[in-house]
Amino acid sequence: MRLLSKAAQTAFSRRSGPNTTRGFWGWLNAVFNKVDHERMKAVGPDRAAAEWLLRCGAKVRFQGFDRFHHDYNGLPTGPLGRYKIQAIDATESCIMHQGFDHLDGLQYLEEIKFNKCIYIEDACLEKLSSVENLQDSLHALEVVSCGNVTDKGVIALHKLRRLETLFLSDLPGLKEKDKTVERLQTALPRLEIDLDLD
């Protein structure tokens, strides 16, 4: 899949200028993030979310598994609702706000890593923290090298009442980090925040 993607990228960039190429890949990523509610009903929220995440280059770990799945065609099959997503590693993926509706039905998600995700922005973190299921299940969150995240997005995480650990690193959009951390600690006294923002 990645070879095909690279080949298509190269072919397309030869026919057009850099701005057209950037627009094409932005459009394609938006297509990958489109929510298909019929598919969610047919295969269940966890399977639909896993398909979305893998389509966008992320990885998922299901309950009872030690390793992350990254191959779309290698997703486990079985009865509806058998496999529940426990962790997401979205490192260098193209997930974006439009796709976050896939998270609504996830009840067992405990850990998420957003690392070098160019489309992750405040609206993504706001959506994440407003999902009721995740307010009760999410324990660990990592946001690293996501240039579009600001203090507003990080402060929105205060709704994740079960959050135990939060790692923030290389976030140039955070302008008032001390104030932001203080607000989070006040809202979530048990939260352990690890910062690497200098």
Side-chain angles (χ1 to χ4, degrees):
M1 177 81 169
R2 289 182 188 235
L3 275 176
L4 179 60
S5 175
K6 291 265 188 214
Q9 234 176 351
T10 304
F12 190 79
S13 64
R14 287 182 184 156
R15 286 190 311 173
S16 54
N19 290 337
T20 307
T21 304
R22 206 171 301 128
F24 171 76
W25 289 107
W27 170 82
L28 186 60
N29 290 334
V31 169
F32 285 164
N33 279 275
K34 187 170 176 18
V35 178
D36 183 347
H37 295 284
E38 292 302 315
R39 181 72 179 156
M40 290 173 78
K41 286 179 192 170
V43 299
D46 289 271
R47 175 67 188 214
E51 291 175 356
W52 161 60
L53 290 159
L54 270 60
R55 231 182 2 251
C56 293
K59 298 180 252 184
V60 296
R61 183 168 46 79
F62 295 101
Q63 280 186 327
F65 285 78
D66 293 329
R67 64 179 183 85
F68 279 85
H69 290 272
H70 60 86
D71 179 10
Y72 186 93
N73 294 320
L75 280 172
T77 57
L80 184 67
R82 178 175 177 189
Y83 297 100
K84 304 293 185 186
I85 296 176
Q86 188 171 25
I88 295 170
D89 182 352
T91 299
E92 296 183 344
S93 70
C94 68
I95 63 171
M96 56 178 63
H97 180 257
Q98 293 94 317
F100 272 60
D101 284 348
H102 285 99
L103 302 176
D104 287 344
L106 305 185
Q107 297 182 3
Y108 301 94
L109 182 57
E110 297 177 357
E111 175 187 342
I112 300 177
K113 292 182 182 179
F114 297 127
N115 192 339
K116 298 181 184 174
C117 300
I118 62 172
Y119 297 112
I120 294 296
E121 56 191 352
D122 292 342
C124 298
L125 299 184
E126 289 168 355
K127 171 62 179 172
L128 179 76
S129 63
S130 69
V131 176
E132 288 186 35
N133 295 336
L134 299 185
Q135 292 172 358
D136 290 328
S137 70
L138 198 62
H139 294 285
L141 179 62
E142 188 175 296
V143 185
V144 177
S145 301
C146 297
N148 295 318
V149 170
T150 70
D151 298 277
K152 180 182 175 187
V154 173
I155 289 170
L157 300 174
H158 78 276
K159 295 180 184 175
L160 297 171
R161 54 185 169 260
R162 303 270 186 207
L163 200 60
E164 296 172 0
T165 60
L166 175 63
F167 178 58
L168 303 173
S169 177
D170 186 26
L171 300 174
L174 260 64
K175 304 299 183 193
E176 300 179 338
K177 64 179 180 182
D178 293 335
K179 193 179 198 180
T180 298
V181 167
E182 184 180 334
R183 287 179 71 179
L184 270 181
Q185 287 288 193
T186 302
L188 303 168
R190 297 181 304 160
L191 178 61
E192 182 181 314
I193 302 175
D194 187 6
L195 299 174
D196 182 14
L197 297 172
D198 294 329

